[in-house]
Amino acid sequence: MDAFIEAVASINGKINGVVWGIPMLVLLISTGIYMTVRTGFFQVSKIKFWSNETFLAIFKKKSVTKTKEKKAISQFQALSTALAATIGTGNIAGVATAVCIGGPGAVFWMWLSAFFGMMTNFSENVLGIYFRKKNDHGEWSGGAMYYIEEGLKERKGLRHIAKPLAVLFAIFCVMASFGIGNMAQVNSISSAMKSNFNIPNLITGIVLAVIAALVIIGGIKRIASVAEKIVPFMALFYIVGCLIIFIANYKHIPYVFSSIFSNAFSFSAIAGGVGGYIIKRAVTMGFKRGVFSNEAGLGSSVMVHSASDVKEPVIQGMWGIFEVFFDTIIVCTLTAFVILSSPANSMTFEDALNNISTEGQYFEIHKSADGGIVNLIDDNINAKFEIASADAEEGTYTEYAAKTVYGQDLTLRFKNAECATGESDFTYSNVMEIKGVQGKNSDGTLMTDESGNPVITSVEISEVNGVPLVTYAFSQRLGSISGKILAIAILLFAFSTVLGWSFYGTKALEYLFGTKATVVYKVIFVLFIIVGCTMNLSLAWDISDTFNGLMAIPNLIGVLALSGTVIAITKNYVSRRIKKDNTGLKPMISAYPEIQAEQEAKMKEDYASENS
C-alpha cells in the first residue's frame, strides 16, 4: 500500500509540476493581459463606473441586495457566495508561504496577477451570463462548461473538441470540490480547533457536517443566504484584526513597502548561482498564490455568478472585477502586511540550543549586528538551519554543544550556511522551530530518566510557515489570544469555502448527469467533511491542487476562443449604458433567442418601475 501511495504521489507531483508550472502561470497571466488590452484597460478606465455598479451599489440600490426571482439569487448574494469560495485558508497560509519562499517581492507579483486577473474573471462572468441556461427546476445553470460547449461548437476547427473540453472541466471541478473545496478546508478547521480549544477532530467533523448539510441540501438560495451573512462579518473581523496589527507596527511601514518593491526586482547573485532560483521563486510564488487565492482563470466562481438575477452580462462581469480586487488586493495584502511589519522577537539560536524540550520552540536565524530589531521576514534570503546527515563530509557541518531543560547534554551537527546551494535550503523567514525528539527503548516505549523526564536523543528543525507564522505575527501584539483569533478566522474562511465549492461541484455534476444526480453528490460531499477532519490529507491536498489547476486549461481555451464575444458584449454595454448611445442599439444579453427576449422584457419592466 505504501508503494502504491508513493507511486501516486510521484505521478501527481509530475503532473502538478506541469499544471502549476511556469507555462501555465504565463498562460493565466497572459490571458489577463490580453483581455485587459482588448477591453481598453477596463478595470482602470472604468473604475468609477464599476465601483458604483458593484460594492457602492450595495448601499444605494435595493435591487443589488434583494431579488424578486424565486429561482435566482441577488447580485450581492452571488458575490458573497463567490467570495465565500475564494476567501479561504489560502488568504492566510498561502500568503505566508508566498513571502517565506518568494520573499517580500512575491507580494508585488501577487498584485500584478490580481490586476490582470480582474479582466480574466470579468470575461468569465460575461460569458457565464451570456451562455447560461435554465435547468429542470427553473434555476439558472451556467459556468465554463456551458460556454465552452455552446460557444466553441460554433467556432471553426473547435467544434469537435467543444464537448470533450466541457466534460473534462466538469470532471476536474467535481474532483477538486472534494479536495481543495472540502477536505483540505475542514482539515484546517479541525487542526485549529484541536490546538486552540482542544476540541476532538471527530467532534469538529460531525458538527461541521450537520451544519453544512442543513445549508447545502437547501440549494443555492440557502447557500447564498448564509454566505451573504458570513462573508461580510468574517471579512470585517479579519480586516480589523490585520489593521490593528499593521497600525501597531507603524514604525516598520517604510520597510514593508521598500522591501516589496526592491525585492520584487532583486537579481543579485546568491550562494553561487542560486540567485536565478530566488527571483524565479518570487515571481512564481506571487503569481501562483495570487491565482490560487482569487481563482481568476480557473472558471470556478462563474457557476455561482451565473445564478444571479442580473440581466446584463457586463454587470456580473464587473462584480467579478471586484471579487478579485477584494480577495487579493485587500485580504491577501493585509495578511502580507501583518507578516512583513512584524519583528522576529524570538530567542537566539544559542539560547534555543540550551533549552531543548519536547515542546517546539521558536528561534531567530540571526540577530542584528547593532542590536536593532530583526524583521520576521527579511528582504535578503537566509540559509536555513539544517541537521547534517550522519555521513556528512568533514568541513560541511559544525558541531554544537546543546542542553535540554531536563539536564541532558547533546552534541548536534548543523550544516554550514555556505554549504547551502539548493533552492530548498533558503527561506526569507527569520524564525525556525526546534523540537527535541524523545528516544525509544528496544521494546518501543519512550525513554525516561530516573526522575521520569523524557530522554532527548535527537532534535527536529523546521521552518515556521503558513498559519503558525501568521499566528506568531499576531502574537507579537495580541499575545496568546492570537491563536484563538486566527482559529476563528480559519473556521469562517474555510467553512464558507466549503459552502461555495459545494455549489460548484453540484453544478458540475448537474452538467454531467442531470439534476437528479446532485442529491447523491450532496450526501457524499457532506460525509467527506467528517473524513477531512479526521485524516492526514497531505496527498489529498496535492492531488486536488492538481485537479484545481487542470480546470484552468479548458477554461482558458474557452475564454481566449470567445474573447471576441466578450469584447462585442462589452462594447455594446459601454455604448448603451456609459456613452448613452440612444440609437436603438439592442442589448446583448443571451446567446439564446428565447432567453434574450425574456430578459429584454424584464429589463423594460425594471426600467419602467424605476422611473414610475
Side-chain angles (χ1 to χ4, degrees):
M1 188 64 183
D2 290 341
F4 174 74
I5 292 176
E6 286 181 13
V8 172
S10 176
I11 294 170
N12 178 73
K14 292 175 181 177
I15 298 173
N16 190 278
V18 175
V19 170
W20 285 112
I22 298 297
M24 174 58 79
L25 291 175
V26 170
L27 179 60
L28 282 162
I29 300 303
S30 60
T31 299
I33 294 173
Y34 180 67
M35 297 311 300
T36 294
V37 173
R38 290 207 64 183
T39 57
F41 285 79
F42 188 97
Q43 70 270 55
V44 176
S45 63
K46 302 296 185 295
I47 187 170
K48 182 178 179 180
F49 185 82
W50 67 256
S51 298
N52 285 323
E53 290 296 313
T54 54
F55 69 98
L56 292 179
I58 295 171
F59 309 101
K60 298 185 293 185
K61 295 182 180 180
K62 191 175 180 180
S63 60
V64 168
T65 57
K66 303 291 182 183
T67 180
K68 297 176 183 177
E69 296 188 26
K70 294 182 179 180
K71 299 291 185 178
I73 59 177
S74 70
Q75 296 170 42
F76 178 65
Q77 286 179 320
L79 171 72
S80 296
T81 309
L83 284 174
T86 55
I87 297 180
T89 54
N91 295 76
I92 300 176
V95 174
T97 300
V99 295
C100 281
I101 295 177
V107 178
F108 173 83
W109 300 108
M110 193 164 58
W111 289 340
L112 197 65
S113 76
F115 177 77
F116 293 116
M118 290 178 190
M119 293 317 296
T120 304
N121 212 18
F122 169 87
S123 303
E124 292 171 339
N125 287 340
V126 167
L127 293 172
I129 297 295
Y130 190 69
F131 286 99
R132 67 182 177 176
K133 298 178 177 181
K134 290 282 184 74
N135 65 14
D136 297 340
H137 298 153
E139 301 167 334
W140 287 116
S141 290
M145 53 277 193
Y146 289 96
Y147 59 70
I148 290 171
E149 179 183 359
E150 299 296 329
L152 297 192
K153 73 181 183 182
E154 303 299 328
R155 295 292 189 275
K156 188 175 181 180
L158 296 174
R159 59 174 62 97
H160 297 299
I161 64 169
K163 183 69 174 181
L165 283 177
V167 169
L168 281 174
F169 175 88
I171 292 173
F172 295 149
C173 180
V174 171
M175 298 302 292
S177 73
F178 284 106
I180 294 294
N182 184 327
M183 293 191 293
Q185 301 297 329
V186 297
N187 193 259
S188 298
I189 296 175
S190 63
S191 297
M193 294 298 107
K194 177 69 175 177
S195 60
N196 289 283
F197 301 103
N198 202 30
I199 299 174
N201 294 341
L202 181 60
I203 299 299
T204 299
I206 293 172
V207 172
L208 290 178
V210 170
I211 297 173
L214 293 173
V215 178
I216 293 170
I217 293 173
I220 184 58
K221 294 286 281 188
R222 194 175 300 171
I223 292 173
S225 178
V226 172
E228 73 174 336
K229 295 176 179 65
I230 290 181
V231 170
F233 171 75
M234 76 178 192
L236 184 62
F237 175 81
Y238 188 67
I239 287 171
V240 169
C242 287
L243 286 174
I244 290 173
I245 304 299
F246 188 54
I247 293 171
N249 295 334
Y250 72 93
K251 291 182 179 179
H252 297 193
I253 291 176
Y255 166 78
V256 171
F257 286 97
S258 65
S259 64
I260 288 173
F261 291 104
S262 63
N263 188 255
F265 303 99
S266 175
F267 289 89
S268 58
I270 303 164
V274 183
Y277 285 134
I278 303 308
I279 187 64
K280 185 191 79 171
R281 280 168 54 166
V283 178
T284 302
M285 290 307 300
F287 281 166
K288 183 174 179 178
R289 289 302 156 189
V291 170
F292 190 81
S293 174
N294 58 54
E295 298 180 11
L298 304 189
S300 49
S301 67
V302 188
M303 287 173 267
V304 71
H305 280 291
S306 298
S308 164
D309 67 350
V310 74
K311 281 78 178 179
E312 296 264 20
V314 171
I315 291 179
Q316 209 60 42
M318 291 187 290
W319 282 105
I321 292 176
F322 178 71
E323 177 193 338
V324 175
F325 172 82
F326 186 80
D327 177 273
T328 305
I329 303 297
I330 301 295
V331 181
C332 287
T333 297
L334 283 172
T335 300
F337 278 17
V338 165
I339 299 171
L340 294 176
S341 67
S342 295
N345 197 28
S346 189
M347 68 173 69
T348 64
F349 172 62
E350 289 75 18
D351 288 338
L353 288 184
N354 288 305
N355 291 278
I356 294 173
S357 74
T358 53
E359 297 294 323
Q361 298 179 79
Y362 291 171
F363 68 88
E364 291 182 25
I365 288 180
H366 68 266
K367 279 285 186 183
S368 173
D370 58 4
I373 293 173
V374 175
N375 295 294
L376 183 57
I377 300 295
D378 284 337
D379 54 3
N380 290 307
I381 199 80
N382 299 309
K384 294 178 184 176
F385 277 88
E386 292 188 69
I387 300 292
S389 61
D391 59 350
E393 294 182 13
E394 289 282 347
T396 63
Y397 64 85
T398 301
E399 289 189 344
Y400 292 85
K403 185 179 287 292
T404 73
V405 295
Y406 316 113
Q408 300 151 12
D409 293 317
L410 297 172
T411 300
L412 303 176
R413 290 179 173 182
F414 286 88
K415 281 184 182 179
N416 293 332
E418 60 269 21
C419 294
T421 56
E423 185 177 355
S424 61
D425 293 335
F426 297 94
T427 179
Y428 281 92
S429 172
N430 192 32
V431 174
M432 296 192 73
E433 183 180 37
I434 186 168
K435 183 178 181 180
V437 179
Q438 188 174 0
K440 289 185 178 181
N441 297 306
S442 57
D443 60 357
T445 58
L446 294 173
M447 296 174 64
T448 57
D449 60 19
E450 298 83 0
S451 303
N453 294 317
V455 173
I456 306 297
T457 56
S458 62
V459 299
E460 291 178 347
I461 297 282
S462 59
E463 180 182 6
V464 179
N465 204 333
V467 173
L469 186 73
V470 183
T471 303
Y472 182 80
F474 267 75
S475 71
Q476 299 300 300
R477 293 294 178 183
L478 301 180
S480 59
I481 196 176
S482 59
K484 292 178 172 57
I485 292 174
L486 262 295
I488 293 171
I490 290 169
L491 170 63
L492 295 173
F493 280 26
F495 186 67
S496 64
T497 298
V498 172
L499 296 182
W501 268 92
S502 72
F503 181 71
Y504 298 167
T506 299
K507 281 299 173 185
L509 203 77
E510 177 187 306
Y511 172 81
L512 293 170
F513 302 110
T515 54
K516 292 182 180 179
T518 60
V519 176
V520 177
Y521 168 83
K522 290 176 182 178
V523 172
I524 297 174
F525 188 88
V526 168
L527 292 175
F528 264 75
I529 290 176
I530 300 176
V531 174
C533 284
T534 56
M535 290 184 65
N536 186 330
L537 296 171
S538 58
L539 180 58
W541 177 284
D542 292 339
I543 292 174
S544 51
D545 185 19
T546 301
F547 282 121
N548 206 14
L550 284 170
M551 291 169 61
I553 299 174
N555 177 60
L556 291 176
I557 292 173
V559 170
L560 291 171
L562 298 171
S563 59
T565 303
V566 175
I567 302 306
I569 296 170
T570 304
K571 286 182 176 179
N572 176 281
Y573 180 86
V574 170
S575 295
R576 290 184 297 104
R577 297 295 300 274
I578 301 178
K579 295 182 178 178
K580 305 297 182 183
D581 184 346
N582 297 315
T583 58
L585 191 65
K586 185 177 179 179
M588 294 181 68
I589 300 173
S590 175
Y592 315 108
E594 64 278 9
I595 296 179
Q596 171 81 25
E598 176 189 313
Q599 294 294 79
E600 274 192 76
K602 287 182 179 180
M603 282 177 61
K604 290 178 181 178
E605 289 176 13
D606 292 343
Y607 182 79
S609 62
E610 289 173 5
N611 294 277
S612 59

